[in-house]
Amino acid sequence: MSTITDVAALAGVSPSTASRALRGSGQISAATRARVEEAARELDYVANPSAVRLVNGRTDAIGLVVPFVTRWFFAQAVTGAEDVIRGADHDLLLYNLGGPDGRQRFFERMPLRNHVAGVLVLSLALSEKERAQLAQMRVPLVTVGHDAPGASSVMIDDRAAASTAVQHLLNLGHRRIGLIGGLPEDPMHFTSSALRARGYREALTAAGAPVDETLIVPSDYTIDGGRRAAVRLLALPTPPTAVFAMSDEMAIGAIDAARSMGVRVPEDLSIVGFDDHDLAAFFHLTTIRQPVQEEGREAARILLRMLSAPDEAETAHAVLDTELILRASTAPLRR
Amino acid sequence: MSTITDVAALAGVSPSTASRALRGSGQISAATRARVEEAARELDYVANPSAVRLVNGRTDAIGLVVPFVTRWFFAQAVTGAEDVIRGADHDLLLYNLGGPDGRQRFFERMPLRNHVAGVLVLSLALSEKERAQLAQMRVPLVTVGHDAPGASSVMIDDRAAASTAVQHLLNLGHRRIGLIGGLPEDPMHFTSSALRARGYREALTAAGAPVDETLIVPSDYTIDGGRRAAVRLLALPTPPTAVFAMSDEMAIGAIDAARSMGVRVPEDLSIVGFDDHDLAAFFHLTTIRQPVQEEGREAARILLRMLSAPDEAETAHAVLDTELILRASTAPLRR
DNA sequence: CTGTTAGCGCCTTCAG
DNA sequence: CTGAAGGCGCTAACAG
């Protein structure tokens, strides 16, 4: 691997001149610049990033923390963030927690410490202690789907979106509306679950409909979890006539459960999901669309902005729009 | 950010002693070591990785190149690789190509150059030029799902697996068997497509069944692509009685197409997929299971091994097992 | 067992 | 406009 000294030697200049020429800083005669560039090309020179970082006193890598890359939502957000970060020529260090154990290990060891210029955290509700750990790194922090003090955030209005979903069902005449949602003490703490649950309750209350706690079933954001939750709901003495699931995966599980129990969708049971997953259209699922890739992109943009203006200690908070997508999994209540 | 000099000062020793104590190298009295460790803890010291890399002359970051993190297969493989790499305390630089443009940009700029100790490439059939570019970085290279000269690889036996799938259909009495597969000139060049197509042809030929080119329909590994391909097959004057799809996504699309055309699965049409995607069981899909996460893990392991024994220029080649998973999307030919 | 010295590759003063 | 010198933080010899 050739160094800048090699380049300088080949070009017949000093290393500092070579450095200036290559980076376009200072005043350099066009002739020397050309010569240096030619030499660099010839030697296939690329600056050693460790040396550059050491002397500049900063890294340009960005840490991306994600619970599970395999889940649709996270993969989408990663794609958006990655694209923006690459476009700005930063490195992206991926950290996939992969469950409670990985999460604990991460926060214990803080492997990003001293490694990154900024951190992007996808959809983890940070405990106070975790937030403090992250803050201790003294680098800008942006979260997606969760709002932590001292950090910037990109969110959707989970509460309003959930209300909209439930309102849609209420408009169709439904009153007994089930909720399939995040686990109450989810080890991964997705805050959005709590917000969506709140929106659900508020919509019902505002419409004068009772909130029946037996219709609220926790689940784990997987198809199978949605299936189990739906089975429980449909086995109730007075089952709901409609269900709002906090993710499309769970909604799909619910559709499957209904089918296998001889309950027709939407004739006997209306179902609304959340996300507008790739498969939602396939299942004719009415759902709340959220712009997941854009959430990742926007978070990355905010982080880049924070990096370029480090003095301004301000945090930014973006709220992106959601939209109710009407498909064929919901229908008016039949009496 | 405190430096090792701060730690040394606080512990009342020289920086080199502090360094040795912290890294457990050389001979250090238990007393000094304890004092240094205490000082480091107090100052919350973490070595500056750029400085460490600069002096050691190497980075410990590993580059992971993936076409689309959002596709199930890649997300799974990334998860496996990430886990192993993290476990070995290496950084993981993610590079998501995201299509032909991103691919070209990547190979033009080679942003991993001088950044990484090794590279993991997921399921890209590398052109000779691309392979040369990668080789020019002079770091170990491991590919998953593709075999390139000079690189280690982790593969499955795509040809045999495809043969098995087709053989299963032949055993059920089918003779007209459609193939839904990779695009012939897929801009992302997935080699496995070609190998699976070969397996398909060989199985038919070995059984004395004719290979009808009109039954071979290219597609793009998406649900929708599978749907379109199936529609074309089913609209044929003499449609096939069975179909082998090169991915579960495409198989699912085919199931949907059949359903909407009034063709029953498996009574009128048997379908075999490939991958054992999370949704395969959901669709009762008979499929070829491949251990995707394990492919990622094994690739990472091989890379780590290459890094720890850089002298041995040998490449390793792992072939992992696949398995035919029988479900309800295939049935004997009805006459 | 510990301190001193030198240098990894680069960039940024500071002099010319 | 260009070169020399110094130092970023750390570790590997080399002396003690």
Side-chain angles (χ1 to χ4, degrees), chain A residues 155-240:
Chain A
M155 310 259 296
I156 53 171
D157 190 339
D158 283 288
R159 190 147 65 97
S163 275
T164 300
V166 174
Q167 190 59 54
H168 166 61
L169 294 170
L170 288 164
N171 291 345
L172 291 171
H174 296 278
R175 303 278 291 179
R176 283 187 71 69
I177 300 174
L179 177 66
I180 299 180
L183 294 167
E185 34 189 356
D186 186 334
M188 301 301 273
H189 303 291
F190 301 104
T191 340
S192 35
S193 306
L195 293 170
R196 292 176 198 177
R198 180 133 43 120
Y200 163 85
R201 288 170 191 277
E202 287 175 355
L204 287 179
T205 305
V211 174
D212 180 346
E213 297 296 333
T214 62
L215 294 186
I216 300 178
V217 182
S219 179
D220 62 359
Y221 281 84
T222 65
I223 291 183
D224 205 51
R227 186 187 289 117
R228 286 194 305 269
V231 166
R232 245 180 78 183
L233 284 170
L234 294 173
L236 250 31
T238 320

Side-chain angles (χ1 to χ4, degrees), chain B residues 159-199:
Chain B
R159 188 147 65 98
S163 274
T164 300
V166 174
Q167 189 59 54
H168 166 61
L169 294 170
L170 288 164
N171 291 346
L172 290 171
H174 296 279
R175 302 279 289 181
R176 282 187 72 71
I177 300 174
L179 176 66
I180 299 180
L183 294 167
E185 34 190 356
D186 185 333
M188 300 301 274
H189 302 292
F190 301 104
T191 339
S192 35
S193 306
L195 292 170
R196 292 177 196 175
R198 178 132 46 119

Side-chain angles (χ1 to χ4, degrees), chain A residues 44 46 70 79 82 86 89 91-96 109 113-115 136 223 227 256 279 282, chain B residues 44 46 70 79 82 86 89 91-96 109 113-115 136 223 227 256 279 282:
Chain A
D44 193 33
V46 181
T70 46
T79 296
E82 200 269 355
R86 285 297 174 195
D89 262 327
D91 279 337
L92 202 186
L93 261 42
L94 177 70
Y95 209 104
N96 184 54
R109 314 211 24 230
R113 216 159 26 139
N114 240 340
H115 272 223
Q136 204 182 327
I223 291 183
R227 186 187 289 117
D256 188 51
L279 286 168
F282 180 84
Chain B
D44 193 34
V46 181
T70 47
T79 295
E82 201 270 357
R86 285 298 173 194
D89 263 327
D91 280 337
L92 201 186
L93 262 42
L94 177 70
Y95 209 105
N96 184 55
R109 315 213 21 230
R113 219 163 20 143
N114 239 343
H115 273 223
Q136 204 184 326
I223 291 183
R227 186 185 289 118
D256 188 52
L279 286 168
F282 180 85

Side-chain angles (χ1 to χ4, degrees), chain A residues 132-156:
Chain A
Q133 302 235 47
L134 252 15
Q136 204 182 327
M137 299 205 306
R138 311 199 157 288
V139 297
L141 177 64
V142 182
T143 56
V144 173
H146 170 70
D147 203 2
S152 291
S153 68
V154 175
M155 310 259 296
I156 53 171

